[in-house]
Amino acid sequence: MTPAPPVAAPRAALASAFGCYILWGFMPLLFMAQAAAGFDSPEILAHRALWSVAVATLLVMLARQGGQVRAVLSTPKTLGWLALSTALIGVNWGLYVWATTHDATLEASLGYYINPLLNMVVGLWLFREKIDRWGWVAIGLAAVGVLLQTLALGRPPWISLVLAFSFASYAVIRKRVPIDAQAGLLVECLLLVPFGLAWVLWLQHTGAGVAFDSPTNTFWALANGPATVLPLALFAWSARRLPLSTIGFIQFLAPTLQFAVGVWAGEALTPLRILSFAFIWGGAGVFAAAALLRRRAARRALKETAEPV
């Protein structure tokens, strides 16, 4: 069995959780800056895959999880599952980069509001987890928000839906694969890196790449590595040390910041879109409040059980 993590100061665990979601929330600014410097979304994605390997390798070495990586690489079944998770996260990363560099950050943020609510449905379907009435209220509010977003856009919010479904599917696979977060990410990066390297070499060969045109552009390209890996490492560290109800509250920080970035960038925010987000925010609020109430009820039950009769 994996040993329990050392007890961490609550402030350190909270700081780690807030740090990862703040970094994820402001990540569109990194991609927007690269787009302004001449990068297109495929080149950004290629460098994201390429330079994540170095940072992921460093984290695996620090965590002494090299044995897990070697075990996975020699186990075809597990490697096959991680190949599928790699495809899903590649789709998720690629679409997110495209959205944030094509004036669709608001629609992307909607996907990450939907994701935790979608996880409840997936848990019911695949893992026989129960959804209480407040969970169904949250899901219903989110469904109304998606419908209103469809009306506001004049089409289904496919960016939101693909981001939510791809990440939920990714989470299901990673839940089933017996490997820690950092080691699993390194394997996924190793599977992605041939595609990233091939694309970068092709761009340089044809003269279409911009990553090495100036020191500034090279900095932007290299920044994709830590920007991809560090938030996940902070999340993995804090998630093992904080109650899920606390994580449930904090996780909505990222799409809220993404929403703010989209508004700051001047993306269209019509009254109908505002109304759709109001329903999504309502669903997120119900989800977070219900998680907190469940946590408090569990604490009371544990305390009552422990008290002498």
Side-chain angles (χ1 to χ4, degrees), residues 10-291:
R11 288 185 181 180
L14 281 172
S16 179
F18 274 102
C20 77
Y21 285 112
I22 288 171
L23 288 172
W24 276 330
F26 285 122
M27 195 172 289
L29 294 175
L30 172 66
F31 302 142
M32 291 176 183
Q34 292 180 70
F39 290 80
D40 61 14
S41 50
E43 185 172 11
I44 295 173
L45 181 61
H47 285 284
R48 194 174 184 185
L50 188 59
W51 303 113
S52 294
V53 170
V55 183
T57 300
L58 177 61
L59 291 179
V60 166
M61 291 173 63
L62 291 174
R64 298 182 179 179
Q65 294 176 355
Q68 289 190 42
V69 175
R70 289 189 294 272
V72 168
L73 293 177
S74 62
T75 309
K77 183 178 179 180
T78 304
L79 187 60
W81 279 112
L82 282 178
L84 181 56
S85 71
T86 300
L88 288 167
I89 203 63
V91 169
N92 186 275
W93 287 0
L95 182 57
Y96 185 70
V97 170
W98 185 91
T100 55
T101 56
H102 287 78
D103 299 321
T105 304
L106 292 178
E107 193 174 344
S109 74
L110 177 66
Y112 290 107
Y113 278 117
I114 295 171
N115 181 249
L117 305 175
L118 180 61
N119 285 342
M120 287 196 295
V121 177
V122 172
L124 173 68
W125 178 40
L126 292 180
F127 303 112
R128 306 292 183 181
E129 297 175 0
K130 294 182 178 179
I131 300 178
D132 60 20
R133 65 178 183 276
W134 294 114
W136 286 115
V137 169
I139 292 169
L141 289 170
V144 173
V146 171
L147 177 60
L148 290 173
Q149 190 79 189
T150 299
L151 296 174
L153 294 171
R155 58 169 175 79
W158 64 269
I159 293 174
S160 307
L161 295 174
V162 172
L163 287 175
F165 276 91
S166 62
F167 200 76
S169 302
Y170 171 80
V172 168
I173 293 172
R174 290 301 305 272
K175 183 180 177 69
R176 291 178 175 273
V177 176
I179 187 171
D180 287 330
Q182 292 95 326
L185 179 63
L186 176 55
V187 174
E188 289 165 345
C189 290
L190 289 171
L191 293 172
L192 281 173
V193 77
F195 301 98
L197 180 60
W199 189 251
V200 168
L201 291 175
W202 172 256
L203 290 176
Q204 294 306 120
H205 175 72
T206 59
V210 301
F212 305 109
D213 287 353
S214 68
T216 300
N217 279 14
T218 302
F219 167 79
W220 287 128
L222 295 175
N224 285 294
T228 297
V229 176
L230 291 182
L232 181 62
L234 289 172
F235 172 79
W237 191 84
S238 62
R240 297 189 67 197
R241 292 163 172 83
L242 289 174
L244 289 178
S245 58
T246 303
I247 294 292
F249 272 113
I250 301 173
Q251 70 180 336
F252 292 109
L253 177 61
T256 300
L257 291 174
Q258 293 162 8
F259 178 89
V261 169
V263 173
W264 169 82
E267 294 183 20
L269 191 60
T270 63
L272 191 55
R273 291 195 81 180
I274 293 174
L275 182 60
S276 75
F277 273 101
F279 274 93
I280 294 293
W281 291 329
V286 170
F287 172 90

